[in-house]
Amino acid sequence: MEGEEEGEDPVVVIDYDAVGNPILIVVDVSGAHRLPVRYCRCSNAEEQEFQLLRMGLFPTSYQEVKTIFTFAVLDDYLIDNQECKTSGYHYFAKVKRRTSSAFPHRTPNRYRELIRLSRQWRMLKEYKWNGFAHTKETPGPGKLAVMCPTCPQPGINLPENWKNDENQLLYMRSFVMDGNFTASHLKQKHPEDDVWLGSGTSIMTARERYYEHLEIAPDDRNTNDCNASKALNARISQSGTNITGIGAMACARHGFFAPCSCVDFQKGEKYVHTWILSYKE
């Protein structure tokens, strides 16, 4: 890899060791390593990608495997991203530094593979946590969201005759709605290349249904005379973003986001964005 400039993504040619085993790039918490891999060649052996997965290794492709990530590094990145707000670019910079502190630029650049696999890994874990790991059933609206375990929910933590109780305040649920303008999204050059792993299956509202709502819903109540609000809307409308923030509904007492309750903002906070939250999926 000598002479390779940082950030380049050269065509990788699989090398082989002296006995013919392929030498793959293994990305781990300890760094990116070039190691020989010996597959099982028995008559009843599984395909190569399944052999790797059973060993805790996630291949970046399924036709000609050249790079694999360990489950440990994918878990470590998700924790860093959630708790430390570490971006994928900076996390892989750490991996390169651990590989070679003197020459980190010589480490093969697998930033794009990290971003793609981490999203697949997060989705697979959500399927596992919510009981969809070993079934062909497709998750319905909000089925991958974490429900509040404390709030009253019929059929889950309420008695069968709760409707006959005179004190109905015991079974009342309360929600709060708010917006966040730091969760913006820059405009993409090729948005048609995006692959949506899940839409409406967790806390985000179904994408197709939401944009259909924006096309037909009136916004007569968006008459804000606040100068600070107008200044904010003017600033974010010129920021080169197609999503300027998110709005969400959460449990008022315990902070759990309601399933299918998060929506995108396009030009500031409008009544039309939160109107859809009043309806069930």
Side-chain angles (χ1 to χ4, degrees):
M1 305 299 290
E2 292 189 22
E4 179 185 330
E5 296 294 334
E6 184 176 3
E8 289 185 356
D9 189 24
V11 177
V12 179
V13 178
I14 298 180
D15 296 327
Y16 295 88
D17 62 10
V19 295
N21 296 316
I23 300 177
L24 307 184
I25 297 174
V26 183
V27 182
D28 186 39
V29 178
S30 59
H33 314 282
R34 296 174 61 86
L35 300 173
V37 175
R38 184 173 183 178
Y39 296 105
C40 176
R41 294 184 173 85
C42 296
S43 59
N44 59 345
E46 295 181 304
E47 296 180 2
Q48 294 181 358
E49 57 265 26
F50 291 107
Q51 295 185 40
L52 292 171
L53 289 171
R54 291 188 183 279
M55 295 300 296
L57 303 170
F58 204 132
T60 60
S61 61
Y62 300 98
Q63 294 181 347
E64 189 175 6
V65 179
K66 302 174 182 178
T67 304
I68 52 182
F69 282 68
T70 65
F71 290 1
V73 75
L74 294 174
D75 282 333
D76 188 61
Y77 167 63
L78 291 186
I79 294 176
D80 270 20
N81 179 255
Q82 180 180 5
E83 299 294 342
C84 307
K85 313 305 178 187
T86 306
S87 66
Y89 177 84
H90 289 99
Y91 184 84
F92 198 79
K94 181 176 73 173
V95 172
K96 292 193 293 185
R97 184 68 63 176
R98 283 182 170 173
T99 305
S100 175
S101 59
F103 304 101
H105 62 282
R106 294 185 178 180
T107 304
N109 188 1
R110 295 298 178 266
Y111 160 70
R112 289 184 297 181
E113 287 79 357
L114 170 65
I115 294 299
R116 176 165 49 82
L117 286 190
S118 65
R119 293 173 180 171
Q120 295 178 6
W121 185 247
R122 183 184 288 110
M123 178 62 68
L124 288 173
K125 293 181 81 70
E126 289 182 353
Y127 270 60
K128 176 182 176 181
W129 294 334
N130 292 278
F132 293 94
H134 302 287
T135 176
K136 296 183 179 180
E137 181 183 357
T138 302
K143 293 299 183 179
L144 299 183
V146 179
M147 299 291 293
C148 178
T150 307
C151 283
Q153 299 182 51
I156 297 178
N157 55 8
L158 292 183
E160 295 182 0
N161 61 342
W162 67 273
K163 291 185 179 181
N164 299 326
D165 195 325
E166 296 181 356
N167 191 0
Q168 288 295 306
L169 292 178
L170 295 175
Y171 311 104
M172 181 178 295
R173 300 182 64 181
S174 56
F175 296 90
V176 293
M177 299 171 62
D178 200 1
N180 181 348
F181 291 101
T182 62
S184 58
H185 185 267
L186 295 175
K187 294 180 180 178
Q188 297 174 279
K189 292 183 179 180
H190 303 287
E192 66 278 0
D193 294 338
D194 269 356
V195 177
W196 294 85
L197 298 180
S199 179
T201 57
S202 185
I203 64 174
M204 294 297 295
T205 301
R207 186 169 179 267
E208 296 79 6
R209 180 174 179 264
Y210 177 55
Y211 283 100
E212 289 176 1
H213 158 76
L214 294 181
E215 291 291 334
I216 62 175
D219 199 19
D220 298 336
R221 295 183 59 179
N222 187 35
T223 56
N224 196 337
D225 296 328
C226 175
N227 291 330
S229 179
K230 290 181 178 179
L232 174 64
N233 291 344
R235 177 174 61 83
I236 61 180
S237 64
Q238 300 174 1
S239 60
T241 58
N242 59 346
I243 296 176
T244 58
I246 60 174
M249 177 185 295
C251 168
R253 294 183 177 181
H254 314 104
F256 282 81
F257 286 104
C260 303
S261 69
C262 286
V263 296
D264 296 328
F265 293 156
Q266 284 75 38
K267 293 183 178 179
E269 190 174 20
K270 292 185 177 182
Y271 176 71
V272 67
H273 291 140
T274 56
W275 195 17
I276 195 173
L277 303 183
S278 302
Y279 297 90
K280 294 182 180 180
E281 288 286 343

